[in-house]
Amino acid sequence: MANKLTDMSKIRKAIKLHYSGKSKLFISQYLSLSRNTVKKYLSLFEVQGLTLEQINQKTDLELETLFSHQTEEPVSPRQQKLYDFFPYMERELKKVGVTSYGMWEEYISKHPDGYKNSQFREYYKQWGKKVNPVMHISHKAGDKMYVDYAGKKLSIVDKRTGEMTEVEFFVAILGASQYTYAEATPSQKKEDFVVSVENAMRFFEGVPAAIVPDNLKSAVVKSSRFEPTINETLIDLAEHYETTVLPARAYKPRDKSLVEGAVKILYRRIYAVLKDETFFSVAQLNNRISDLLDAHNMRKLTGRPYSRLQLYDELEKDKLSALPARRFEIKYQALATVMQNCHVQLGCDKHFYSVHYQYIRKKVKILYTRTTVEVYYKYNRLATHPRNYTPY
């Protein structure tokens, strides 16, 4: 196949043999490469002005990038205009209502001598595969926020005892901009999970049209390909923020590929830095994560002239819905019977709250948050009280 790139392990061996004084003919026969291929890569190596030590320090991917840039066929001015248009097109396609045909019309209006629609689409597909090795789902701005936990845990140390405690690593990412949020959290329990999801939306300064969790127990009570049962607390959070919850489908890895990709990147950019540092509280750990996360979001995307933060500011920030003024409070529920003295007891606090006398001996539902207690009978609210933690 013309211009097929040779295996980089063979190129390394060819350079080492060349350094040791072997002839091009010997290298060609020893590595089963044509003499012209050996000549080409040795010439490129000499043009680069690199030493053998520098070659050894580079990964195969870095070496491939170095040599592939030198072996690519020259691009015509017409093609260059097309390639210069594609990063802009990629950003525009994330906007609601923008289509590839509409982008071709804009391209051809700017460049009347440009490519026809079919060639335009084919070149864009090839360009997309080059800058995104795996074909990705096209995400619309403000549409979805993907959330998940990393498989590897972080840890904090007790100052007094020296005991090490593992903590979870939560990650959220916006689909269109790949703007990322992450934090350490004590557990994957529904209370901690809901707080982390809310913290992510506060960090993004807006609410997406949908929250997409993996099939975590803290998010999904019963997994199903068609109609999963979502945790009531997460539903309450979604209602408070006027959004919806769309769990990733079971056995459909592409539904969550974006957040899993983000986790892999953060392993390199956050875990690798934290492994030699010691933290004595979750808050202290999160302060350090915040600094590293800012650097991650400001770093340019692979093969793009812009960062996640720039893409978020330009495309996604204005497409998110406004945040409610008040933060969400988790609601808990308990059942009780109204006593003869017109009171019900909230068992966890051992505190009593009054209701109207006509509900004596009725079974009622108590809904309580960190600050309030509400008493319901058959969906009718009977009373609301400030929560009091004083027993009896």
Side-chain angles (χ1 to χ4, degrees):
M1 181 179 175
N3 294 322
K4 183 177 178 182
L5 203 63
T6 308
D7 188 340
M8 287 302 114
S9 62
K10 286 191 174 184
I11 301 304
R12 288 181 188 278
K13 289 176 183 176
I15 293 170
K16 287 179 182 177
L17 290 170
H18 176 66
Y19 249 78
S20 64
K22 303 294 183 184
S23 68
K24 293 182 177 67
L25 177 62
F26 173 84
I27 296 170
S28 169
Q29 293 173 341
Y30 183 77
L31 296 176
S32 300
L33 294 172
S34 71
R35 287 184 66 185
N36 286 338
T37 300
V38 173
K39 283 180 182 178
K40 178 180 74 173
Y41 282 103
L42 290 179
S43 297
L44 289 171
F45 166 69
E46 290 169 0
V47 167
Q48 292 290 330
L50 298 172
T51 64
L52 182 61
E53 290 73 21
Q54 288 173 315
I55 291 292
N56 290 335
Q57 288 171 1
K58 291 186 180 296
T59 64
D60 284 353
L61 181 61
E62 289 172 335
L63 206 59
E64 183 176 322
T65 303
L66 186 70
F67 285 127
S68 64
H69 284 171
Q70 300 297 321
T71 57
E72 287 175 352
E73 293 180 356
V75 177
S76 69
R78 188 180 180 213
Q79 278 182 309
Q80 190 59 53
K81 290 175 184 177
L82 183 68
Y83 292 143
D84 290 343
F85 182 78
F86 285 156
Y88 162 74
M89 174 176 169
E90 184 186 45
R91 292 200 300 274
E92 290 298 302
L93 284 175
K94 295 177 187 294
K95 296 178 180 178
V96 177
V98 178
T99 64
S100 57
Y101 184 78
M103 294 309 301
W104 172 76
E105 288 182 320
E106 184 176 336
Y107 158 77
I108 208 70
S109 68
K110 293 178 179 176
H111 308 290
D113 62 336
Y115 293 90
K116 298 300 181 185
N117 187 33
S118 57
Q119 285 181 297
F120 176 81
R121 293 167 71 94
E122 183 60 32
Y123 274 120
Y124 182 69
K125 187 188 294 184
Q126 292 174 12
W127 179 84
K129 287 179 180 178
K130 187 175 180 180
V131 296
N132 299 304
V134 177
M135 195 62 185
H136 65 282
I137 301 169
S138 182
H139 299 278
K140 294 299 181 183
D143 189 29
K144 292 183 178 72
M145 177 180 80
Y146 297 83
V147 299
D148 201 3
Y149 287 99
K152 298 176 184 177
K153 298 183 180 183
L154 297 171
S155 60
I156 56 174
V157 177
D158 189 306
K159 265 187 178 180
R160 293 182 294 105
T161 64
E163 183 182 356
M164 187 176 290
T165 304
E166 288 188 331
V167 294
E168 303 289 343
F169 188 66
F170 171 87
V171 177
I173 184 169
L174 293 175
S177 62
Q178 298 185 40
Y179 194 46
T180 308
Y181 173 75
E183 68 171 24
T185 179
S187 74
Q188 288 192 25
K189 291 179 181 177
K190 66 178 181 182
E191 293 84 359
D192 289 328
F193 175 68
V194 165
V195 169
S196 292
V197 171
E198 183 175 34
N199 287 345
M201 289 190 286
R202 294 281 167 177
F203 175 81
F204 294 140
E205 299 180 26
V207 182
I211 300 166
V212 184
D214 193 4
N215 283 271
L216 307 161
K217 288 183 179 178
S218 48
V220 179
V221 176
K222 185 179 179 181
S223 180
S224 167
R225 288 181 63 186
F226 307 104
E227 197 170 345
T229 306
I230 302 168
N231 188 297
E232 280 189 16
T233 306
L234 187 57
I235 291 174
D236 288 342
L237 173 77
E239 288 179 355
H240 180 79
Y241 280 89
E242 297 183 3
T243 183
T244 189
V245 179
L246 298 174
R249 295 169 296 175
Y251 311 111
K252 295 289 183 180
R254 286 187 65 190
D255 283 9
K256 53 185 179 178
S257 60
L258 198 65
V259 71
E260 288 184 346
V263 169
K264 289 177 183 177
I265 293 171
L266 295 184
Y267 280 151
R268 299 196 301 270
R269 296 182 183 173
I270 291 182
Y271 275 66
V273 178
L274 299 181
K275 65 182 176 63
D276 297 323
E277 300 179 22
T278 303
F279 303 93
F280 301 105
S281 69
V282 172
Q284 185 185 13
L285 176 56
N286 277 330
N287 286 337
R288 185 72 177 106
I289 289 172
S290 179
D291 293 337
L292 297 172
L293 190 65
D294 287 343
H296 165 73
N297 281 322
M298 288 189 285
R299 188 168 177 170
K300 282 186 169 48
L301 287 159
T302 305
R304 308 295 199 284
Y306 47 79
S307 67
R308 292 169 176 82
L309 178 59
Q310 289 172 316
L311 205 55
Y312 162 76
D313 286 335
E314 179 185 334
L315 273 182
E316 199 141 29
K317 188 174 183 178
D318 293 338
K319 300 300 180 184
L320 299 171
S321 301
L323 292 165
R326 292 178 56 202
R327 287 185 71 102
F328 172 70
E329 286 190 310
I330 297 175
K331 287 184 178 179
Y332 302 91
Q333 76 173 37
L335 299 176
T337 301
V338 181
M339 297 181 289
Q340 288 291 113
N341 62 359
C342 304
H343 283 72
V344 292
Q345 183 187 39
L346 183 58
C348 60
D349 296 339
K350 295 184 173 63
H351 192 88
F352 297 91
Y353 298 91
S354 64
V355 297
H356 198 270
Y357 74 90
Q358 70 186 68
Y359 295 99
I360 289 173
R361 296 199 185 97
K362 300 289 186 184
K363 289 191 180 297
V364 295
K365 180 188 286 186
I366 304 173
L367 292 181
Y368 60 99
T369 68
R370 185 174 52 83
T371 58
T372 60
V373 174
E374 298 174 303
V375 184
Y376 286 83
Y377 177 70
K378 292 184 178 179
Y379 305 105
N380 295 317
R381 187 169 61 189
L382 309 182
T384 303
H385 298 279
R387 188 172 176 183
N388 191 319
Y389 294 86
T390 308
Y392 309 108

